[in-house]
Amino acid sequence: MNTRIDGAVEAGFGGVADAFARAFDGRKGMGAALSVLVDGKTIVDVWAGEAGPGAAWKADTASVIFSCTKGLMAILVAQCVEQGSIGYDDLVVDHWPEFAHNGKESTRVRHLLAHRAGVPALRRPLSRAQLLDFAQVVAEVEQSEPFWAPGTAYAYHPITHGWLVGEVLRRATGLSVRELFDRAISSPLGVDAWIGIPPAVEERVATMSIGATLADATARLVEDPQNHWPAQAMTLGGALPAALVGPGSGFNDPALHRAIIPGAGGIATARALATVWSATVTPTNGHRLIGEDVRMEATSVQSAGEPFFTAPGPWPAWGMGFQLDSGARRYVTPQGFGHDGAGGQVAFAEPEAKIGFAFLTNMMEAGDDRGTAIVDALRNAL
């Protein structure tokens, strides 16, 4: 393995860094970063590889975190629940009256968070221009007919989740998702994480690439007539490529980096993301983001088992927007909670061990074990 690993590792955690190094085996052009905090202190902070063709991954390289963004949205909602501006059992229409169309009026906030809203895809295709306009997509969501009675089943909402949750947050706080995230999380912690970046950050954003396993998986998804709606859920009918990225397109498009796409469009460094998750379970950089009572409620199982759209197991489990320990994602302990992202991104917290963890990579694979091997090594080190 010839990839140079930069950064620092505390004594006793060398096996974690070794697992990170092995993730590069056979993956020419890959870039990645790993950060682990324990009780608010950084014990692993390493990076390696290429941020793009001919460009080295650096300490401050940021990358698209895809659905790890949903975990950040879940933290924002948990904060609002703690403050009393949102309740998990609230009817969505009490915050967002225009949502009451086509049988969605009984939807509760917990249904949105736990992928039970019945709107994993939009019935009408979106254009790229619409995707960039938060208000236009919200209007489409309002009119959309659910695929099932809200609350009665679940299926992963890969992109729509962000607008469903984001509009409730906007109505409850009076702030855009970008403003709220900056005010409630990134600025207090002093971290490089955004939901809609300032233009000056663009030069630091890694270029995402498609590995062979992801190319095969997306081709099968698009070509299978049985998977029309799951494919539509990923692409929104053409606004995004099936693999979510392409040369200068999808989430490699600088316009998408600046837009508010709260289901998949967050951008962060691994150091920032691990710091955020650390702050959900222990004071970090002088701040604790959520308390134990709301953390316990937010990580109670809301959705598990076989989804509405048939999919091969193992299946994930969901709390109030948080991905929970399951056959689909093993954390360090069964109490771990967080959110993975497309292509191999992994980010989570561990309440008992007081861990914040983030592994980010720009070489997107499907069903690979890079993050899992690193988590296993961390479990062994602890």
Side-chain angles (χ1 to χ4, degrees):
M1 211 290 293
N2 297 318
T3 302
R4 171 181 167 178
I5 308 297
D6 289 311
V9 182
E10 289 284 310
F13 292 90
V16 180
D18 290 343
F20 174 74
R22 286 192 294 272
F24 289 83
D25 290 351
R27 294 183 172 96
K28 184 179 180 181
M30 172 178 155
L34 170 69
S35 186
V36 184
L37 283 72
V38 176
D39 204 12
K41 177 186 176 184
T42 300
I43 54 125
V44 177
D45 188 40
V46 291
W47 58 92
E50 297 182 12
W57 195 291
K58 300 178 181 177
D60 67 347
T61 295
S63 63
V64 179
I65 63 174
F66 297 104
S67 287
C68 294
T69 316
K70 296 181 179 70
L72 304 180
M73 297 292 284
I75 296 169
L76 290 174
V77 175
Q79 290 179 321
C80 288
V81 169
E82 200 164 37
Q83 295 157 7
S85 58
I86 294 176
Y88 288 128
D89 278 324
D90 288 356
L91 290 170
V92 173
V93 296
D94 288 343
H95 298 280
W96 178 8
E98 296 87 345
F99 190 71
H101 290 287
N102 292 320
K104 302 196 299 294
E105 58 276 357
S106 64
T107 310
R108 297 188 182 274
V109 170
R110 68 172 63 240
H111 299 153
L112 303 186
L113 289 160
H115 303 274
R116 306 184 73 85
V119 193
L122 299 176
R123 304 281 186 170
R124 299 194 302 183
L126 290 186
S127 67
R128 174 182 173 276
Q130 288 173 306
L131 177 67
L132 298 174
D133 189 321
F134 187 93
Q136 283 196 47
V137 183
V138 166
E140 289 292 329
V141 170
E142 288 170 353
Q143 298 301 320
S144 188
E145 178 185 352
F147 288 83
W148 62 84
T152 63
Y154 92 96
Y156 187 54
H157 291 47
I159 313 292
T160 57
H161 189 274
W163 293 294
L164 290 163
V165 176
E167 183 63 5
V168 171
L169 283 168
R170 192 185 73 81
R171 299 292 181 110
T173 67
L175 298 171
S176 72
V177 170
R178 178 192 287 119
E179 294 167 334
L180 180 62
F181 179 72
D182 179 70
R183 187 174 300 187
I185 296 180
S186 60
S187 285
L189 291 175
V191 296
D192 287 343
W194 305 268
I195 302 177
I197 63 169
V201 174
E202 180 61 39
E203 63 183 15
R204 294 170 48 192
V205 179
T207 301
M208 310 305 291
S209 62
I210 302 170
T213 58
L214 181 62
D216 290 344
T218 53
R220 289 195 301 271
L221 178 69
V222 171
E223 292 168 3
D224 186 351
Q226 301 287 330
N227 281 327
H228 173 73
W229 288 115
Q232 181 95 339
M234 291 293 291
T235 67
L236 299 173
L240 291 167
L244 298 178
V245 300
S249 66
F251 286 101
N252 277 329
D253 181 346
L256 267 69
H257 296 166
R258 297 190 297 271
I260 302 174
I261 305 175
I267 289 176
T269 64
R271 183 183 298 163
L273 202 53
T275 300
V276 171
W277 285 107
S278 173
T280 65
V281 293
T282 192
T284 305
N285 289 2
H287 294 274
R288 174 79 186 262
L289 294 178
I290 57 175
E292 279 300 292
D293 288 346
V294 73
R295 196 268 304 170
M296 291 289 289
E297 183 178 9
T299 55
S300 61
V301 178
Q302 303 296 307
S303 298
E306 188 168 1
F308 180 83
F309 295 118
T310 301
W315 300 303
W318 308 99
M320 306 294 188
F322 295 117
Q323 189 179 38
L324 307 179
D325 190 78
S326 69
R329 164 52 62 201
R330 292 260 85 99
Y331 295 122
V332 175
T333 74
Q335 290 72 46
F337 65 100
H339 213 294
D340 287 359
Q345 328 308 320
V346 182
F348 63 89
E350 288 284 349
E352 292 183 4
K354 294 182 170 54
I355 289 170
F357 177 103
F359 168 73
L360 300 178
T361 177
N362 62 348
M363 181 164 284
M364 299 173 65
E365 299 279 9
D368 73 302
D369 62 356
R370 290 171 294 175
T372 298
I374 295 167
V375 174
D376 290 345
L378 176 60
R379 188 184 301 110
N380 292 336
L382 293 168

